[in-house]
Amino acid sequence: MITFSYLKSQMFIENLRRIDSLRSDLHSLILTRENELRLRWEIKTEQTYYDLSLYDLSFSKKNIIQVLNSNAVPTSEKDLLTYRWKEALNYISYNCFLRSDKLTEDGLYEVYRIIKPKARYQSFPELPEYVRYIASEDHPVTRAALLQLITYNLKPFPELIEPFSHLSFQLALAWGGWDLRGMVCIEEQYFHDRAYYKELIQNTYKS
């Protein structure tokens, strides 16, 4: 049996209201289909770049764009990771959005298998209980933040923990049918404030 608790400050609650307001504004924004698809593609490119740059600063945005524009499966290790990251984001967008069942640890493993298909997993008996607890939280952003926190600190996967924690955030949002219309790149803020972000997320989790 695990003990897991957190406190919602007044500032946190107010920020959730602001995020809900932003989401409402984005969904009421009138765009042509062409412009919306272009914006979504640009944001997905930014997500991939910043996610992978948190893992390895040598990733080039130009090279990432080339990989994302190609349907061919790359052969180099770095380009192959970029390609699989795109596949993982697509899977989250098209297969997990508006799921009526609750998120379980199987959803995490499924996304991780896309980016690391041959990875060997350690046994984490507490992971299902953590995920069940998180799934009971009422606001999707809170669920996503908690799942990212747990993924980052519990390290249930052997590699790419930090960038994968951002995928887990997106997974939790999409699973509940909650999104920002694919027009906001949260990962950019993480990247530019990465030193503060890493310190914060490590200090927040106490086992």
Side-chain angles (χ1 to χ4, degrees):
M1 181 69 179
I2 61 171
T3 300
F4 186 78
S5 63
Y6 58 96
L7 176 66
K8 296 180 184 178
S9 67
Q10 190 57 44
M11 180 180 292
F12 178 81
I13 294 171
E14 182 58 35
N15 284 336
L16 284 182
R17 293 195 188 104
R18 291 174 180 171
I19 292 171
D20 285 333
S21 178
L22 171 62
R23 178 175 182 259
S24 178
D25 290 343
L26 287 171
H27 279 276
S28 62
L29 190 63
I30 299 174
L31 293 169
T32 65
R33 181 63 175 165
E34 180 182 356
N35 283 339
E36 181 167 353
L37 289 174
R38 176 180 56 80
L39 284 170
R40 284 175 176 266
W41 189 88
E42 289 175 356
I43 292 299
K44 188 165 288 188
T45 302
E46 295 287 305
Q47 283 181 317
T48 303
Y49 170 69
Y50 287 115
D51 272 344
L52 295 179
S53 293
L54 283 164
Y55 165 68
D56 181 349
L57 293 177
S58 67
F59 275 88
S60 157
K61 187 178 289 189
K62 179 180 179 181
N63 196 56
I64 283 176
I65 290 173
Q66 289 175 343
V67 173
L68 296 184
N69 272 327
S70 173
N71 291 322
V73 179
T75 55
S76 77
E77 185 176 347
K78 186 172 287 188
D79 288 348
L80 184 58
L81 180 56
T82 300
Y83 177 84
R84 287 173 174 165
W85 214 264
K86 176 188 73 171
E87 294 296 296
L89 286 170
N90 286 339
Y91 177 85
I92 289 171
S93 297
Y94 304 128
N95 295 79
C96 302
F97 193 66
L98 287 176
R99 289 282 297 265
S100 58
D101 53 328
K102 286 193 172 183
L103 175 64
T104 69
E105 71 279 6
D106 291 338
L108 280 173
Y109 283 113
E110 188 63 37
V111 175
Y112 191 80
R113 286 190 196 101
I114 296 173
I115 60 172
K116 298 294 292 184
K118 296 181 181 179
R120 294 183 178 181
Y121 305 103
Q122 301 180 46
S123 176
F124 282 90
E126 65 269 45
L127 183 61
E129 193 172 349
Y130 271 122
V131 176
R132 281 195 299 272
Y133 181 89
I134 291 167
S136 67
E137 168 58 44
D138 57 348
H139 199 288
V141 174
T142 309
R143 288 198 297 268
L146 290 172
L147 188 61
Q148 181 177 359
L149 182 69
I150 291 300
T151 304
Y152 185 94
N153 287 284
L154 194 60
K155 296 178 172 50
F157 305 104
E159 299 176 67
L160 301 169
I161 289 298
E162 184 174 354
F164 181 72
S165 71
H166 299 292
L167 281 182
S168 72
F169 184 93
Q170 297 295 338
L171 174 66
L173 287 182
W175 204 280
W178 198 100
D179 73 338
L180 292 170
R181 204 176 169 183
M183 295 181 185
V184 176
C185 181
I186 300 169
E187 293 78 3
E188 181 177 4
Q189 189 65 44
Y190 291 141
F191 180 78
H192 292 307
D193 292 335
R194 56 189 177 277
Y196 170 76
Y197 155 70
K198 288 182 181 181
E199 180 182 1
L200 177 67
I201 201 169
Q202 288 168 356
N203 291 339
T204 300
Y205 180 86
K206 303 294 182 183
S207 59

